Amino acid sequence: MKPVHTIGGLCVLLLALPLHLAGWGFFAHSYINHQAVFSLPPEMLVFYKPYQSFLTEHAADADRRKFVLRSEAPKHYFDADAYDPAAWPCSWQQATLRWPPETLRRQGILPWNALQVYNQLVSAFRQHDGQRILKLSADLGHYIADACVPLHTCSNYDGQFTGQHGIHALWETDIPERLYPRFQLWVGKAEYLPHPAATIWQIIQESARAADTVLAAEQYLRSHFPRKQKYAYYLRNHTWVHSYSTAYLEAYESLMHDMVERRMRRAIEAVSAFWYTAWVNAGQPDLRNLTEVRFSHADSLEWQALQHFQWNARKERTGSFKE
Ligand SMILES: [Zn+2]
């Protein structure tokens, strides 16, 4: 990505861009990258553990870039239902022979983009480039985690075709943020992936198969759950917020047989496996002498600008900023 140097220029861009498609909420993305570090072998932990806070803080940079770059949004989803399932898995080259690139981009390029970022990470390991390893690991963690979200693999991504607006944030932001303390999210050691491309498509297929359940369970619940108990006030970062009640979130998660917990665990497992596989396929470089990574002034400016836009975008959506 081209470094961003002026906040003023970004303000103009922000006004022109859509603000939907958040991915896992920022909390869940951070949590997934944070937990994935614990599954890495000691040879990688020596580098990843000191930078665990970097991987956590930058887990949602890819989402923040959507506020600035029009080309970023299609990297976060794949409308599996727009295709005959027999058409994929396929490489980007094969896909462009069958569909125009603009159609592919409109319907999302998540699997191809994730694979590209994975390949970039392998070369960053080969080049022993600590800065790029960290930035690409944070981004790869994000895209792999997005692939684990069912609503990122279907065109009805926010229930807009079925009168279920808001289901996207309910599934991937409200439930993880509020229910995660009771989730079991420990996964074992990172596994080596013999065919990373096949694994990405497998994750997409799992998510696509679950999308119907996500929509149907919410549809059922909205007509069977007592209306007066659906919303409540709860304390979020010292501010009272009016939102879904905990009972409603629990009922929804239970109706989906703990799907949010299962997909979050799957995301942690997959992120650690992709980081580990990239390192192995780069020849298992020694990471011990990489512990003094310094980022450029341009990087710092870019991150400040992205934070600023995240803040502004939320303010625009909610009318007030309560965090
Ligand atoms: Zn995303």
Side-chain angles (χ1 to χ4, degrees):
M1 172 185 166
K2 195 175 162 191
V4 169
H5 295 287
T6 63
I7 286 175
L10 292 177
C11 282
V12 175
L13 279 168
L14 174 69
L15 295 172
L17 293 172
L19 297 174
H20 57 257
L21 285 173
W24 284 100
F26 286 178
F27 163 79
H29 273 300
S30 299
Y31 194 88
I32 288 164
N33 272 7
H34 183 268
Q35 285 297 108
V37 170
F38 295 117
S39 294
L40 297 174
E43 297 92 327
M44 291 185 77
L45 269 178
V46 69
F47 177 60
Y48 275 71
K49 190 71 183 70
Y51 289 101
Q52 191 172 25
S53 60
F54 177 94
L55 295 164
T56 304
E57 286 161 21
H58 293 273
D61 279 0
D63 272 344
R64 295 183 181 108
R65 287 199 294 270
K66 285 192 289 192
F67 302 135
V68 182
L69 289 173
R70 197 178 287 277
S71 59
E72 181 64 34
K75 298 177 180 177
H76 298 248
Y77 64 92
F78 177 72
D79 290 345
D81 54 333
Y83 301 90
D84 177 346
W88 37 271
C90 67
S91 68
W92 176 252
Q93 285 75 15
Q94 289 168 331
T96 52
L97 291 176
R98 293 191 61 178
W99 297 279
E102 54 276 19
T103 302
L104 292 169
R105 285 202 182 86
R106 192 177 62 248
Q107 292 169 177
I109 57 170
L110 197 166
W112 299 297
N113 176 65
L115 192 63
Q116 186 180 32
V117 177
Y118 160 79
N119 286 325
Q120 289 169 345
L121 180 59
V122 174
S123 69
F125 274 124
R126 285 199 181 118
Q127 290 158 6
H128 236 234
D129 185 337
Q131 279 185 32
R132 275 174 58 76
I133 292 170
L134 288 173
K135 288 198 275 186
L136 289 164
S137 294
D139 281 351
L140 182 60
H142 183 101
Y143 296 124
I144 295 294
D146 272 357
C148 295
V149 177
L151 290 176
H152 276 246
T153 59
C154 90
S155 56
N156 192 17
Y157 63 86
D158 194 25
Q160 73 275 23
F161 302 146
T162 45
Q164 293 174 277
H165 287 280
I167 190 172
H168 200 96
L170 164 63
W171 194 99
E172 65 177 28
T173 301
D174 293 296
I175 292 181
E177 270 190 32
R178 305 266 301 282
L179 302 188
Y180 89 93
R182 67 197 74 176
F183 287 177
Q184 197 290 99
L185 294 172
W186 283 99
V187 298
K189 288 181 188 171
E191 279 188 22
Y192 177 73
L193 305 170
H195 306 290
T199 302
I200 289 172
W201 285 103
Q202 185 190 335
I203 292 170
I204 293 278
Q205 277 171 327
E206 292 163 7
S207 294
R209 274 199 296 268
D212 276 0
T213 303
V214 171
L215 292 158
E218 201 273 342
Q219 196 75 266
Y220 175 87
L221 202 61
R222 63 170 54 202
S223 54
H224 289 80
F225 195 84
R227 290 185 73 154
K228 284 186 178 168
Q229 294 170 31
K230 185 172 177 180
Y231 298 100
Y233 282 93
Y234 77 100
L235 200 56
R236 186 188 197 212
N237 296 334
H238 311 294
T239 304
W240 286 102
V241 178
H242 190 245
S243 185
Y244 297 106
S245 66
T246 303
Y248 186 77
L249 298 179
E250 285 173 342
Y252 184 33
E253 173 71 342
S254 167
L255 211 52
M256 293 186 291
H257 302 288
D258 304 322
M259 190 199 290
V260 178
E261 177 181 357
R262 287 185 284 115
R263 294 311 282 165
M264 212 165 156
R265 195 160 53 234
R266 176 72 165 122
I268 293 165
E269 177 190 275
V271 169
S272 62
F274 273 94
W275 289 345
Y276 173 57
T277 303
W279 174 73
V280 171
N281 287 351
Q284 306 189 15
D286 187 347
L287 303 179
R288 282 175 298 185
N289 56 354
L290 274 186
T291 47
E292 289 292 323
V293 176
R294 297 204 189 286
F295 292 98
S296 67
H297 186 55
D299 283 330
S300 305
L301 285 176
E302 180 185 326
W303 291 326
Q304 276 175 27
L306 292 178
Q307 292 280 357
H308 172 83
F309 280 102
Q310 179 189 348
W311 191 93
N312 255 348
R314 285 191 186 179
K315 195 174 162 192
E316 268 198 6
R317 274 179 291 188
T318 61
S320 64
F321 189 67
K322 295 178 177 173
E323 295 174 88

